[in-house]
Amino acid sequence: MRRWGALLVAVVLLAAASGSGLWLTEIREEAGAPMSAARVPLGGFEPLAVSFLWTRALELEAAGGLSRAVANYRLITELSPHVGPAWALPAHVLVWTDSECGDAERGWRWVREGLDLLDRGLALNPDDPYLLGNLGLTFSVRICGDPEVRDVAERELGRMPEELAVETFARLVEVAPDDQARDLLGAARRILEQARARTEGN
């Protein structure tokens, strides 16, 4: 509790200093304290705030408090909306959470959270190869590599995740036409062919 009191004091002091944007809605949820949702200016203090939020999110995650860490990750994206890794790195953490828990619904919950971050990041940065690569790998490796999560994902998304991986890597090749991107696209196409063959065999 003392730590959150210090955080709230720090935010108020930073807000008094100057700058542009941080929404307090998620801080309110994280801290469990009633606060206004008004936008608080941080200006030149934003890098410091981002660093603090990363540290806090990693601490929460390590302590098993991923639900609370998500609020910090989302605040980081608010502060750095046009920085690809600000979206991709927390998305990667979320996507691989519970990857070995054996609970497909629970695993899909966090994959869905990660996909949401990647989708929002790409809406602001549609040609970011870092985001496209992470999205493609989420479909082709995380989702397609876990048959139970894959089945839940296909029902929820209404599409074969293998198809989504091919589309994403094809887009990656358009914006970053290098050998690695082409290799990823080729691998995704092979995975899609195998999935279609299994479907036809059933």
Side-chain angles (χ1 to χ4, degrees), residues 7-22:
L7 169 62
L8 295 177
V9 170
V11 168
V12 171
L13 291 174
L14 291 175
S18 72
S20 67
L22 170 65

Side-chain angles (χ1 to χ4, degrees), residues 1-12 22-36 52-53 56 60 65 67-73 75:
M1 193 65 183
R2 191 173 299 168
R3 177 180 289 178
W4 284 115
L7 169 62
L8 295 177
V9 170
V11 168
V12 171
L22 170 65
W23 288 96
L24 287 184
T25 304
E26 290 166 313
I27 286 183
R28 183 190 68 235
E29 294 169 358
E30 172 70 19
M35 297 179 67
S36 166
F52 174 85
L53 290 166
R56 182 60 184 146
L60 287 166
S67 294
R68 295 170 63 205
V70 169
N72 288 270
Y73 287 137
L75 281 170

